[in-house]
């Protein structure tokens, strides 16, 4: 910062050096002033030392507020305006007032956006609940005529609509995930089986078999959000699996002893260049664009929810050889350390 200060003050420094040089020149050519060269050098040294000390003092005084701002930005928090340093000079007061005015303006804007977002979220949640009522009536009608092949096809389409509405409802809840989870020991294999039953009509329509292997494993998680994550992964697996294919769900332990649930399909797989981006919002990839089936939201929402409840998602795939997505559950100690 001192070098930058010297650069900013270069006009003053040059003015001082020019003045000193002009004074020396006048003394040298003025025959009425009788000074020895040694005296002139001595005077110049004294003036230079005095100017350097003065410059160092002014740097410390004039940049005190700026140095305080730098420290403030290094520990930037929500109430950063309250941590602004005390203004020293008039220009510091102007800067301070400008920063506080900007803070007030954007806080006001943020408050308006938050109100609009809450209103929109509440409206969306209300709309989803309203739409679920006729969907429930439709499901009862379908269940009453389950032997009818037409009704089985209608049930598969009903399930897709139900899943889309359910995902939209979870999207509105996702920002408040931090206060919407309850951790307890859950049988992750059982949670996966429940989601398989929810997707049974779709699997039957495509003649897809779902096999569950491995021992029943208990993991610390939130059942509602964990099922939502499994649902997004299973939905993708069913969507991209070929007719007559098999989806394998297995449980095991990672190298550090944590429970891992893996969902593997026999779909077209994911190209190597797309694999690092499959959890990005809106990313559909080559496979999704070819089949016109991807929205780029399912895995993104699964990743966002997983981060909130201590689950680590990882994907393994290669083009033409299916995809395996694993859910690694954190232990309670690991989860608590992340949350704190």
């Amino acid at each position: 910062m001192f070098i930058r200060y010297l650069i900013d003050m270069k006009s003053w420094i040059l003015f001082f050096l020019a003045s000193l040089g002009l004074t020396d020149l006048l003394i040298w050519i003025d025959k009425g002033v009788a000074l020895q060269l040694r005296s002139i050098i001595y005077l110049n040294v004294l003036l230079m030392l005095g100017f350097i000390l003065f410059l160092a003092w002014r740097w410390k005084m004039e940049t005190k507020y700026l140095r305080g701002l730098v420290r403030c930005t290094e520990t930037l928090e929500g109430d950063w305006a309250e941590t602004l340093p005390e203004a020293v000079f008039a220009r510091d007061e102007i800067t301070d007032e400008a920063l506080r005015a900007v803070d007030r303006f954007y806080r006001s804007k943020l408050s308006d956006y938050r109100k609009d977002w809450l209103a929109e979220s509440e409206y969306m949640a209300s709309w989803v609940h309203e739409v679920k009522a006729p969907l429930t009536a439709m499901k009862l009608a379908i269940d009453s005529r389950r032997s009818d092949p037409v009704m089985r096809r209608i049930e598969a389409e009903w399930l897709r609509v139900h899943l889309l509405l359910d995902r939209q409802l979870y999207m509105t809840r996702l920002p408040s995930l931090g206060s919407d989870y309850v951790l307890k020991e859950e049988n992750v294999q059982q949670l996966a089986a429940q989601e398989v039953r929810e997707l049974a009509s779709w699997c039957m329509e495509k003649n897809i078999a779902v096999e569950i292997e491995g021992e029943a494993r208990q993991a610390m998680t939130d059942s509602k959000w964990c099922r939502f994550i499994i649902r997004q992964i299973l939905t993708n697996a069913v969507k991209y699996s070929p007719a007559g294919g098999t989806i394998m769900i297995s449980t095991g332990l990672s190298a550090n002893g944590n429970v891992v649930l893996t969902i593997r399909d026999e779909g077209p797989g994911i190209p190597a260049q797309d694999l690092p981006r499959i959890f990005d919002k809106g990313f559909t990839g080559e496979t999704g664009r070819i089949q016109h089936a991807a929205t780029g939201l399912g895995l993104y929402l699964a990743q966002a929810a997983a981060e909130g409840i201590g689950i680590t998602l990882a994907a393994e795939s290669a083009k033409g050889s299916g995809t395996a997505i694993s859910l690694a559950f954190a232990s309670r100690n690991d989860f608590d350390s992340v949350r704190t």
Side-chain angles (χ1 to χ4, degrees):
M1 183 176 286
F2 183 68
I3 300 299
R4 295 182 62 182
Y5 176 78
L6 292 179
I7 294 173
D8 291 340
M9 300 299 293
K10 63 180 178 295
S11 59
W12 289 94
I13 297 172
L14 292 174
F15 176 76
F16 170 78
L17 294 176
S19 299
L20 186 59
L22 181 60
T23 302
D24 291 341
L25 180 61
L26 291 175
I27 293 173
W28 180 262
I29 64 177
D30 190 349
K31 302 302 182 180
V33 180
L35 286 176
Q36 296 182 359
L37 179 60
R38 184 173 53 187
S39 299
I40 296 176
I41 294 175
Y42 179 71
L43 177 62
N44 277 260
V45 170
L46 286 179
L47 290 174
M48 288 293 293
L49 287 175
F51 180 71
I52 291 172
L53 292 175
F54 173 79
L55 196 63
W57 172 67
R58 293 307 300 172
W59 169 77
K60 185 176 181 180
M61 294 297 298
E62 293 181 21
T63 61
K64 181 179 180 181
Y65 182 76
L66 293 177
R67 284 181 277 119
L69 285 182
V70 171
R71 289 193 297 271
C72 179
T73 56
E74 289 174 352
T75 58
L76 199 59
E77 296 179 355
D79 56 346
W80 64 271
E82 301 302 321
T83 64
L84 287 175
E86 184 179 354
V88 180
F89 299 100
R91 61 176 177 270
D92 297 338
E93 293 176 357
I94 295 173
T95 303
D96 186 81
E97 183 55 37
L99 290 172
R100 293 182 187 276
V102 170
D103 177 66
R104 291 191 295 269
F105 174 77
Y106 281 104
R107 282 183 184 273
S108 175
K109 284 290 186 182
L110 183 61
S111 177
D112 293 340
Y113 289 144
R114 186 178 288 113
K115 289 177 183 177
D116 293 341
W117 176 80
L118 287 173
E120 184 177 352
S121 297
E122 289 173 1
Y123 169 77
M124 183 60 67
S126 174
W127 180 83
V128 171
H129 283 297
E130 290 293 332
V131 173
K132 277 193 170 186
L135 279 178
T136 302
M138 290 172 60
K139 186 66 166 64
L140 292 174
I142 292 170
D143 289 341
S144 67
R145 300 178 60 185
R146 188 171 291 277
S147 59
D148 189 337
V150 175
M151 283 298 176
R152 287 200 294 270
R153 288 197 296 271
I154 292 175
E155 182 180 16
E157 298 303 322
W158 172 90
L159 177 61
R160 292 188 180 95
V161 176
H162 170 72
L163 291 174
L164 288 172
L165 288 173
D166 186 71
R167 186 173 69 183
Q168 185 62 47
L169 184 61
Y170 273 89
M171 284 177 66
T172 62
R173 293 173 177 170
L174 193 58
S176 59
L177 172 58
S179 59
D180 189 39
Y181 67 87
V182 178
L183 286 179
K184 62 178 183 178
E185 292 282 346
E186 299 284 354
N187 185 329
V188 296
Q189 198 176 75
Q190 191 175 60
L191 295 179
Q194 291 171 355
E195 289 305 313
V196 170
R197 284 193 290 270
E198 291 288 332
L199 299 176
S201 60
W202 194 3
C203 293
M204 290 173 64
E205 181 195 20
K206 295 188 67 174
N207 192 28
I208 294 174
V210 180
E211 299 181 6
I212 300 177
E213 64 178 12
E215 299 178 8
R217 301 284 183 179
Q218 297 285 329
M220 188 66 62
T221 189
D222 175 88
S223 61
K224 179 180 70 175
W225 284 101
C226 182
R227 285 187 60 179
F228 170 74
I229 297 166
I230 295 172
R231 189 179 313 144
Q232 303 312 305
I233 298 171
L234 273 176
T235 299
N236 269 10
V238 175
K239 183 188 301 182
Y240 292 110
S241 289
T246 301
I247 296 174
M248 182 68 67
I249 301 174
S250 59
T251 54
L253 295 177
S254 65
N256 57 4
N258 289 353
V259 176
V260 178
L261 176 73
T262 303
I263 300 174
R264 185 182 301 274
D265 63 53
E266 296 177 345
I270 303 170
Q273 68 271 18
D274 289 348
L275 196 59
R277 301 175 59 194
I278 62 172
F279 296 113
D280 293 349
K281 185 176 182 180
F283 181 73
T284 57
E286 179 182 321
T287 304
R289 287 192 292 272
I290 291 174
Q291 299 195 11
H292 305 287
T295 62
L297 285 177
L299 291 180
Y300 162 75
L301 293 173
Q303 174 76 339
E307 290 176 352
I309 59 172
I311 295 176
T312 302
L313 297 184
E316 294 181 5
S317 183
K319 192 172 181 179
S321 62
T323 302
I325 296 183
S326 60
L327 294 77
F329 295 83
S331 64
R332 174 177 282 278
N333 291 338
D334 292 340
F335 183 83
D336 289 341
S337 65
V338 171
R339 300 301 296 180
T340 54

